[in-house]
Amino acid sequence: MLDPSSGCGFSSKKMYHFGRVSMKIKLIPGDSAGTVTAFYMNSDTDSVRDELDFEFLGNRTGQPYTVQTNVYAHGKGDREQRVNLWFDPSKEFHTYSITWNRQQVLFAVDDVPIRVYKNNAAVGVAYPSAQPMRVYSTLWEGDDWATRGGMEKIDWSKAPFYAYYKDFDIEGCDVSSAADAACVADQRNWWEAPAYRQLSPEQARKYRWVRTNFMIYDYCTDKTRYPVPPRECLAGI
C-alpha cells in the first residue's frame, strides 16, 4: 500500500547467485500516475552495486502502463529501457520474471522476453556475475520522474494505492551456507544449460514483436545522453 504517509516493501530472507525469480503481480488500477511499483534483485552493496530492475510506472486512467528495466553492474546503471505493456496489468495477475546466468539476463512478462542483457565482459562491458542478490519489491512515490518525466503528479485523493502479489518463486543458488559455493560453480544447473544461453527462435520472434510495437525508450539510441553509444549497445544487446 502507498498513502501520503508512507510507501512499503518486502524482500527475500536469503540471497541468491544465478537462477530464475518470478512473481505474479496485479498493479494499481485507475489513476496511478506518479506511482512506482518495483520488483528487482539487488546485491546490497553501495559503490559496486549489482541490480536487475523491473519498475512499473503508473499513468493516468486509460493510458498504458510502462515497464522500465535497468541493469546495474559493478556500480554502473543508467541502462534504462521502457516498454508499454500490451494489456491492462491492473485487471488480473501477470507473471514477471528474471532469469540470470553467466551468459545473459532475461527479463520476461508472461514468458514473453522484453529485454536481454548479454555478458560482454570479454570486451570490457561490466556484467553482474560476481555477487549474489536479494529479491525485493517496493511501492513508492516517484512523481518527480515516473510519469511523463514528472509532469503528471500523484493524485493523493485517490489514495491509498494498492498493488497485489502472489506465487513468489525462485530457483537459484542460495548462498547462505558454505556448501552453496559449489552450486554457484556448477555448470549443470538447469539455468546454465545451452537452451538458456540465448533466445530460442520462438522467443526471438516474440522479442522482436515487443520491441517493434511497444518499446518507447532505449538508452542505446538516446543520442542526447550518449552521443557515442555505450559499448554494450554496439555489442548487440
Side-chain angles (χ1 to χ4, degrees):
M1 184 183 76
L2 169 66
D3 63 23
S5 64
S6 70
C8 65
F10 57 88
S11 71
S12 62
K13 295 180 179 179
K14 297 179 180 179
M15 301 185 78
Y16 300 89
H17 203 153
F18 302 130
R20 180 182 185 271
V21 60
S22 68
M23 181 82 77
K24 290 183 178 177
I25 306 174
K26 184 163 64 172
L27 295 173
I28 299 166
D31 188 345
S32 57
T35 66
V36 179
T37 307
F39 173 51
Y40 60 102
M41 302 183 74
N42 186 295
S43 62
D44 292 345
T45 49
D46 293 324
S47 60
V48 291
R49 172 171 50 136
D50 290 339
E51 185 171 311
L52 308 172
D53 291 336
F54 274 112
E55 292 178 313
F56 303 95
L57 311 181
N59 217 329
R60 292 295 177 214
T61 303
Q63 298 299 311
Y65 250 99
T66 298
V67 57
Q68 174 173 284
T69 57
N70 202 354
V71 175
Y72 284 78
H74 302 186
K76 174 68 169 64
D78 298 327
R79 298 183 175 97
E80 301 92 347
Q81 293 182 355
R82 293 184 180 184
V83 170
N84 281 342
L85 292 173
W86 51 95
F87 53 84
D88 184 344
S90 69
K91 288 188 176 298
E92 57 188 27
F93 286 93
H94 291 268
T95 302
Y96 304 93
S97 63
I98 300 169
T99 305
W100 170 40
N101 60 32
R102 287 178 173 79
Q103 286 74 37
Q104 65 180 20
V105 178
L106 172 63
F107 296 84
V109 177
D110 293 332
D111 291 328
V112 175
I114 67 166
R115 180 169 189 177
V116 178
Y117 185 84
K118 288 283 190 181
N119 185 345
N120 281 297
V123 294
V125 176
Y127 185 79
S129 60
Q131 303 182 91
M133 294 192 247
R134 202 179 306 275
V135 184
Y136 292 89
S137 193
T138 53
L139 175 56
W140 47 284
E141 174 192 353
D143 72 0
D144 58 337
W145 67 275
T147 307
R148 295 183 61 209
M151 295 175 63
E152 302 283 356
K153 302 300 185 181
I154 289 182
D155 181 354
W156 289 112
S157 71
K158 304 291 197 303
F161 301 99
Y162 291 94
Y164 301 87
Y165 301 81
K166 68 177 184 178
D167 297 348
F168 168 71
D169 182 62
I170 188 162
E171 294 184 66
C173 292
D174 165 10
V175 297
S176 59
S177 69
D180 293 308
C183 173
V184 176
D186 193 345
Q187 296 284 341
R188 295 170 297 178
N189 291 319
W190 68 261
W191 53 85
E192 299 289 357
Y196 299 95
R197 296 175 188 174
Q198 60 186 13
L199 298 181
S200 69
E202 178 64 13
Q203 286 177 314
R205 183 187 67 79
K206 293 178 178 178
Y207 183 60
R208 288 192 298 270
W209 173 75
V210 168
R211 296 174 76 82
T212 298
N213 294 287
F214 303 104
M215 173 164 276
I216 60 171
Y217 177 80
D218 182 358
Y219 76 105
C220 285
T221 59
D222 189 336
K223 295 187 182 301
T224 300
R225 291 176 67 191
Y226 300 105
V228 177
R231 279 182 294 178
E232 64 265 28
C233 301
L234 300 174
I237 298 303

